[in-house]
Amino acid sequence: MNVLIEWHYKSKKGTPTVFKSGELPADQALLIAEDLEKTGRTKQIMFTDQFDSSWTIKELKGYLKGIETEPHNIVVYFDGGFDWNTKLAGLGCVLYYNQNGKSYRLRKNATATHLSSNNEAEYAALHLCLQELETLGAHHLPIEIMGDSRVVINHLSEEWPVIEEELYSWANKVEEKMESLGFQPRYELISRKKNSEADRLATQALTGVEITATIERT
């Protein structure tokens, strides 16, 4: 989770003012806040998350302590490809997350049948990511979802209406899984270049190369 720091400062002569930071990971923001308290000029420090919820230092410490052993700071990359000749879909999933003070990257791909378009493959790839997060035990957290599919990102962020029946069904399926896991998603449309890992996994799936791998990032 990323937050903004709001520092209520009081000068030596008692003049109050408020400073606001840029967006920071919650654990880094907490360290900075603790340093600010040492100045002796702090009236109050508050944090604001991406959903405009406010946190005190005590509340943020409790939150971070509670999620320490669970996957958190989750960033999802997804991509789907569809072969019109074989009617086979390739799904690519990349998850970045922290757990027990370490950072990890999980890569997973899969093939899918009974799909009829590239857009359905994109939705299926995102659903695969959510299934992997469920397997990891992630739940009730804000997550970042990155993809180069304008259709999926704009549908789920409610920028575009979902008209096609098949895609409407997939959108509901993804949102139901999101709600059941208690995720608070933030969607971002990225370039194909920035989504190259998930794209490569989807392509490899179409060529019969299966990949499931998790590594610790240093």
Side-chain angles (χ1 to χ4, degrees):
M1 179 173 70
N2 290 341
V3 297
L4 306 177
I5 304 171
E6 185 176 289
W7 180 30
H8 294 248
Y9 171 85
K10 182 176 65 175
S11 71
K12 277 188 177 181
K13 294 184 179 181
T15 304
T17 190
V18 177
F19 296 98
K20 292 186 178 181
S21 75
E23 197 173 79
L24 295 162
D27 54 347
Q28 294 180 22
L30 187 58
L31 291 175
I32 292 171
E34 290 173 341
D35 278 345
L36 293 175
E37 283 192 315
K38 294 175 184 177
T39 65
R41 297 277 181 258
T42 298
K43 289 186 65 179
Q44 184 184 38
I45 293 178
M46 296 295 295
F47 306 92
T48 304
D49 64 24
Q50 64 203 61
F51 303 102
D52 291 327
S53 297
S54 296
W55 303 70
T56 64
I57 289 180
K58 183 179 179 180
E59 289 169 341
L60 194 60
K61 282 183 177 179
Y63 169 79
L64 292 174
K65 182 68 175 177
I67 66 171
E68 185 178 0
T69 60
E70 299 176 355
H72 56 280
N73 291 343
I74 296 167
V75 182
V76 174
Y77 291 84
F78 71 95
D79 195 56
F82 185 75
D83 188 322
W84 289 96
N85 294 319
T86 63
K87 305 300 182 185
L88 190 67
L91 317 179
C93 164
V94 183
L95 307 176
Y96 288 89
Y97 62 96
N98 295 342
Q99 189 173 16
N100 294 318
K102 297 179 181 180
S103 298
Y104 296 93
R105 182 193 68 182
L106 181 153
R107 295 188 302 140
K108 169 82 174 180
N109 69 0
T111 55
T113 57
H114 308 300
L115 302 182
S116 59
S117 70
N118 191 75
N119 286 331
E120 278 195 271
E122 294 277 8
Y123 268 111
L126 178 52
H127 193 264
L128 173 66
C129 293
L130 296 179
Q131 290 176 314
E132 289 301 307
L133 288 174
E134 184 175 25
T135 300
L136 287 174
H139 62 93
H140 295 89
L141 290 166
I143 62 174
E144 307 281 341
I145 297 180
M146 312 289 188
D148 59 34
S149 169
R150 290 185 178 275
V151 170
V152 173
I153 296 296
N154 286 327
H155 279 174
L156 295 177
S157 61
E158 299 183 348
E159 293 292 328
W160 293 356
V162 186
I163 299 173
E164 299 89 339
E165 184 177 345
E166 295 83 0
L167 300 187
Y168 185 82
S169 176
W170 270 109
N172 280 342
K173 189 175 181 179
V174 167
E175 288 177 340
E176 285 172 3
K177 175 64 75 173
M178 204 81 70
E179 289 176 9
S180 72
L181 294 172
F183 291 144
Q184 301 135 30
R186 183 164 71 174
Y187 299 98
E188 183 175 340
L189 181 65
I190 59 175
S191 68
R192 191 175 184 84
K193 183 178 180 180
K194 289 184 178 180
N195 203 33
S196 59
E197 281 189 304
D199 174 68
R200 185 162 55 252
L201 286 166
T203 301
Q204 289 171 319
L206 286 172
T207 61
V209 179
E210 296 183 5
I211 295 173
T212 301
T214 301
I215 63 168
E216 181 182 342
R217 300 169 61 222
T218 57

